[in-house]
């Protein structure tokens, strides 16, 4: 019988980290968007980074859940996830640090920067897990 949804990734450590990152980034985006300080350039960058990376995570999760990894074997998905997480860490941590410096002690903006820093720590964990996974020898023919 042909499977339509592959939920193995969502139940793995990497999948749980991705879902946690998505939830935390959406909370950070909502915190920044709900304030009247959203006209500052620092928060515009932070909104763009959090929303953009949230969309990237959703797309990656959809691709893995619908089994594109098994159909498109010409892409090294472990390296793709490693690059996605590394770039996400760089942008999210930069945006969070800038947002923390420009928060002017507004509690919602401080919460947004803390959520961003927490998401960047989760991204570091995901990068480490991706790196460990790329170092393991992969089977030439995955079992069907």
């Amino acid at each position: 019988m042909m499977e339509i949804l592959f939920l193995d990734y969502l139940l793995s450590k990497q999948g749980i980290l991705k879902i946690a990152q998505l939830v935390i980034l959406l909370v950070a985006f909502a915190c920044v968007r709900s304030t009247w300080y959203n006209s500052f350039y620092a928060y515009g960058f932070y909104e763009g980074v959090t929303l953009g990376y949230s969309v990237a995570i959703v797309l990656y999760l959809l691709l893995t859940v619908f089994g594109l990894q098994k159909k498109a074997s010409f892409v090294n998905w472990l390296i793709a996830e490693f690059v996605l997480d590394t770039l996400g860490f760089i942008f999210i941590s930069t945006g969070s640090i800038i947002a923390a410096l420009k928060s002017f002690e507004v509690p919602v903006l401080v919460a947004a920067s803390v959520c961003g820093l927490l998401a960047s720590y989760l991204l570091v964990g995901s990068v480490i897990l991706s790196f460990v996974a790329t170092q393991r020898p992969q089977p030439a023919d995955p079992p069907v």
Side-chain angles (χ1 to χ4, degrees), residues 58-116:
V58 167
L59 287 176
Y60 187 81
L61 287 176
L62 286 176
L63 292 176
T64 55
V65 165
F66 287 114
L68 187 68
Q69 291 181 336
K70 293 177 179 40
K71 295 175 186 169
S73 60
F74 55 88
V75 176
N76 189 342
W77 290 100
L78 294 174
I79 300 294
E81 185 176 15
F82 179 77
V83 169
L84 175 73
D85 291 338
T86 304
L87 290 176
F89 169 74
I90 291 169
F91 288 124
I92 296 291
S93 61
T94 303
S96 298
I97 291 169
I98 292 171
L101 292 175
K102 304 275 185 183
S103 67
F104 302 112
E105 297 180 7
V106 177
V108 175
L109 297 178
V110 172
S113 64
V114 168
C115 285

Side-chain angles (χ1 to χ4, degrees), residues 34-54:
S34 68
T35 63
W36 57 275
Y37 284 103
N38 59 7
S39 64
F40 291 153
Y41 292 116
Y43 295 109
F45 174 75
Y46 190 66
E47 283 178 355
V49 166
T50 54
L51 190 61
Y53 193 68
S54 297

